[in-house]
Amino acid sequence: MENEGTQSSGTGGGGAHGAAPRAQHVPRPAGPPLTPPPMPAAPPPSRAASSGPYPHQSRPVSPPATAGAAHPPAPAHAPAAAGPGLADWLRAPRRSDGPGVWAYGHTPRPAEEPELTPTRQLVSGALISLLAAVLLWSLLWNGYLGGFWLWPLYAFTPDAWNHDTFSVVASYVWYAIVLAVLAVTFGRLGRWPELGRRILAGPATRPVRAEEPDGPVPGSPEDPAGWPQLRHAGLADSAERLRAELGAGRMNDVDAARIRRAWESVLVDPARRGAFADSVRDKGAGACVHPSGARDLPVRAARHDLLSRQVRLGTVDDGQRNPYPRRGTGLALDPAVLGTSLLAVGPSGGGKTSRLVRPVVESLALQALAGQAAVIAVGAAGTPLGPDEAYDVVIRIGDPATVYDLDLYGGTTDPDEAAGLLAEAFAGDVPGTDVRRAATALAQLLGPFRTAHGRFPRVPELRELLDRVPAALGALRQELEAADEHAMLRELDARERQYGSHGDPGPVLADRIALLDRPAFAGFFDTTGQQGRPFSLRSLEHPLRVRIDLPERGHAEASRMLARLLLAQFTAGAVTRTDRSLFAFLALDDASHTLTQETVRGIQRLRSANAGVLLTLRTLDDVPEGLRTPLLGAVGCRMAFSGVTTWDGQRFAEAWGTEWVEARDVTSRTVFADQPLTRAIHAFRKLVTGKAVTTDAVTVRQVERERWSASDLAHAVPPGHAVLSLTSVRGERAAPLLVRLDG
């Protein structure tokens, strides 16, 4: 129903989704994107100059930018586009009456569905009123009702007009007036105007909505295309430069949103005002660019509205299942709802990756280019989460050609913290293993090793220590004795005493670390700084776009262990950030066997840390039974795709609860007539129709029913649809909605 805020894709006029352009579209970018140069090994030291937000379309990947360029060259021109210009997009109204509403051009609907008279009833009423009007006119014309209706004609016409031309004209004028009065009166009684609108507009006519509010008048002082916020602050030159860039087609919506974000940072820290003005003066629409130099993504697979930071997933189904105010409206996600985290469950091939994960990751990547977010996408190698050029850091575990490496210890220097994270990854899914004891055992080795060598052990070194290799333990002990580190020697002694005791997690940890000590991972997880560029999740304070490919094929158990480690590192790192102005987000394309008690508790803490996670599962059976209910309670957004099992549906039905609905019970009973004539009529009717004459008794009552039952979720959700409930970080809630996913 609503395609506002969308646009065709490609540098020409082709549409990525095959949809014809509508009245309102998100504007196209001003030029082809640039492939970002490789990011430095360490995150950029400051994001003061890279604050800002981004549009929607798919385009072919452009050639890489010239190496060593300080910033990307300005686009040469704006390509032809079917949608409106950037100025119209900036002026478009954005309204939202609940979480998940696609705000671009949205018009709120009434809270309740107005009563709609059936077309058949309208036709019969119109015919009856028409016949009544004709009958009344016939009675008047033929004098059966007397001549009282002609009294005004005789009272207001002179006697001299009798039997002449003026008398005839006056008579017909009066007849026309009477006919008009009859038509208006009986037309209102018969609801002729409503029937005419119903016939002209078709059977699916809805009551006319309120007119869409107009945006700012072009050229007015408050026209956003003229950058009034800069003019009011005394930066008229900067505003004029940006207005000229916009008018010349050298600015896209990515630039506009990014520069707006940069100006917001100036309002927070006025010391940045001079740098902002200089950047706008020197670079125009390319001011305050992301450290990668990119001003857009090479390819877009979803529809975005960057001013409201939304990505559109689909359209709320226009059926009785959904509340009337949300029927037919666009469904979108933004940091306000993603900050409560989202759990999606559906079978393989149901569209979890293409219709949910990819659009959300793409939206957060655009916001990262705007200096608003940091996004980490984790999936199996080959998962279509966007091209490499769309990310600043791409880590392919097990691929020798990858440039970046993964910091196994999450960038921390605290042995206890590092041990806790590793224990969640190594032992969090092992039944009967106490994660706290595993963390203690690891800390008893990591602490002494870091003290002796100034770093944490590499995977082979940690495996040797857990396996009690005499040479490794002896060398470590000698280093500690030489450094006179008695406290660390006591830690090492305590670990040796616990070897072989009942419940010792050492053997389990040794078996799990052996999964990473394989030839395929040789050279990875290096802690010496001699191989690769280690990436740490401590970099969440910078607007980074990161994709991590796990070696699911051939190393499934190791991949799940690394996914658990990344989830544990993210939940810990996002909460401990000193600067939480960036929205930090982790998307796990397959979260099977990655959740533990501690990570579920960590997900609950993300809401207050301006962070969130997206977890997808094929079934809730991939989560330990004791964690299924806590997991559904920890996330604020829950999504059930078409094809879920009744067992999974039952969990969602319990989480969504019940609601009061109006139930109508109809009871039919046979009518027995007392009079002979009536009995004869009833007998004739039964002979013709084959049914006895009955009367219906209707009982209306309020009952409490599940919003969505397990059977409905398993069997009544059409392919390409999903049932989604949303909660915002402010506590606003949207009841479960049946959504048609655009893909």
Side-chain angles (χ1 to χ4, degrees), residues 225-240:
W227 299 88
Q229 61 271 47
L230 301 185
R231 297 183 187 276
H232 296 161
L235 297 179
D237 294 342
S238 298
E240 186 59 29

Side-chain angles (χ1 to χ4, degrees), residues 343 632 635-641 644 648-659 705-710 713 717 722-727 733-738:
L343 173 67
L632 287 170
V635 297
C637 305
R638 310 176 188 96
M639 193 171 187
F641 278 76
V644 297
D648 289 341
Q650 183 61 38
R651 294 284 184 178
F652 278 96
E654 293 173 356
W656 284 328
T658 60
E659 63 179 344
R705 290 181 180 172
E706 291 179 323
R707 299 178 186 272
W708 278 85
S709 69
L713 289 172
V717 180
V723 180
L724 171 65
S725 67
L726 298 173
T727 303
R733 295 180 180 272
L737 302 171
L738 179 61

Side-chain angles (χ1 to χ4, degrees), residues 406-612:
L406 179 64
D407 188 341
L408 201 64
Y409 301 96
T412 183
T413 58
D414 184 359
D416 293 324
E417 182 180 356
L421 297 175
L422 288 180
E424 288 293 328
F426 293 164
D429 66 329
V430 180
T433 301
D434 189 345
V435 176
R436 290 177 296 179
R437 292 195 63 180
T440 301
L442 286 169
Q444 290 169 344
L445 295 176
L446 297 181
F449 191 96
R450 180 171 178 80
T451 301
H453 299 281
R455 60 177 176 84
F456 288 123
R458 295 180 293 112
V459 169
E461 295 170 335
L462 182 57
R463 182 183 181 183
E464 290 178 348
L465 294 175
L466 289 170
D467 279 336
R468 297 185 65 186
V469 176
L473 289 173
L476 179 57
R477 181 175 294 277
Q478 289 179 2
E479 293 284 344
L480 295 174
E481 290 175 348
D484 201 22
E485 291 288 347
H486 299 289
M488 292 302 157
L489 284 170
R490 286 196 302 270
E491 287 283 280
L492 196 59
D493 293 338
R495 176 86 289 268
E496 292 185 356
R497 286 194 303 269
Q498 293 172 6
Y499 277 124
S501 63
H502 178 70
D504 177 31
V508 173
L509 294 174
D511 291 341
R512 305 316 291 273
I513 194 65
L515 294 173
L516 301 181
D517 191 19
R518 303 293 300 160
F521 305 132
F524 279 86
F525 317 117
D526 181 61
T527 60
T528 63
Q530 299 176 357
Q531 300 179 8
R533 299 177 180 178
F535 170 77
S536 166
L537 268 70
R538 293 278 176 175
S539 304
L540 293 176
E541 294 185 355
H542 302 279
L544 292 175
R545 303 165 294 163
V546 182
R547 194 188 77 213
I548 302 176
D549 295 344
L550 300 178
E552 182 70 26
R553 180 177 298 178
H555 301 278
E557 189 63 29
S559 296
R560 288 193 288 266
M561 190 167 64
L562 291 173
R564 281 195 301 274
L565 177 63
L566 290 169
L567 181 57
Q569 289 182 353
F570 178 83
T571 55
V575 174
T576 57
R577 292 181 299 166
T578 56
D579 182 3
R580 298 182 179 180
S581 60
L582 291 181
F583 178 67
F585 193 75
L586 172 69
L588 270 177
D589 184 62
D590 184 4
S592 302
H593 306 288
T594 62
L595 292 159
T596 64
Q597 291 182 356
E598 185 59 33
T599 53
V600 170
R601 285 192 291 265
I603 291 173
Q604 293 176 316
R605 294 191 292 267
L606 294 177
R607 186 177 306 192
S608 60
N610 194 25

Side-chain angles (χ1 to χ4, degrees), residues 48-250:
S50 62
S51 304
Y54 294 86
H56 146 81
Q57 79 290 331
S58 298
R59 300 188 304 279
V61 180
S62 63
T66 303
H71 55 82
H77 60 84
L86 177 62
D88 294 334
W89 175 74
L90 290 171
R91 299 183 187 112
R94 291 168 173 83
R95 302 179 61 185
S96 177
D97 50 4
V101 174
W102 177 249
Y104 187 93
H106 171 68
T107 302
R109 305 181 70 179
E112 299 291 339
E113 183 176 10
E115 290 289 339
L116 287 179
T117 305
T119 303
R120 179 179 178 181
Q121 182 177 340
L122 284 178
V123 171
S124 61
L127 288 176
I128 292 174
S129 63
L130 177 62
L131 293 176
V134 171
L135 175 62
L136 180 58
W137 172 251
S138 176
L139 294 175
L140 293 174
W141 181 260
N142 292 292
Y144 290 104
L145 299 180
F148 70 93
W149 64 286
L150 297 174
W151 175 83
L153 176 64
Y154 300 146
F156 293 99
T157 55
D159 295 338
W161 286 9
N162 290 339
H163 306 296
D164 59 11
T165 304
F166 294 106
S167 175
V168 174
V169 171
S171 299
Y172 280 103
V173 168
W174 177 245
Y175 299 155
I177 293 175
V178 174
L179 284 173
V181 171
L182 291 177
V184 170
T185 302
F186 285 91
R188 287 184 175 275
L189 292 175
R191 304 167 75 173
W192 295 352
E194 184 176 349
L195 177 61
R197 290 193 301 266
R198 183 77 59 87
I199 294 175
L200 292 177
T205 300
R206 294 285 185 183
V208 180
R209 297 184 188 185
E211 293 186 1
E212 184 176 309
D214 296 329
V217 178
S220 66
E222 299 303 323
D223 183 8
W227 299 88
Q229 61 271 47
L230 301 185
R231 297 183 187 276
H232 296 161
L235 297 179
D237 294 342
S238 298
E240 186 59 29
R241 173 66 189 275
L242 294 176
R243 188 199 63 78
E245 294 277 286
L246 189 153
R250 292 188 293 269

Side-chain angles (χ1 to χ4, degrees), residues 276-347:
F276 173 83
D278 293 342
S279 181
V280 172
R281 181 189 65 243
D282 297 338
K283 301 178 182 179
C288 309
V289 75
H290 187 265
S292 67
R295 291 169 61 181
D296 199 357
L297 296 180
V299 175
R300 298 197 189 184
R303 288 167 281 182
H304 305 273
D305 181 29
L306 303 177
L307 291 189
S308 57
R309 301 177 66 180
Q310 289 185 319
V311 55
R312 177 165 175 153
L313 295 186
T315 305
V316 179
D317 186 74
D318 193 14
Q320 295 296 325
R321 277 286 191 180
N322 293 320
Y324 178 74
R326 297 301 298 267
R327 296 177 193 169
T329 61
L331 192 285
L333 299 180
D334 56 28
V337 295
L338 292 175
T340 63
S341 298
L342 191 154
L343 173 67
V345 179

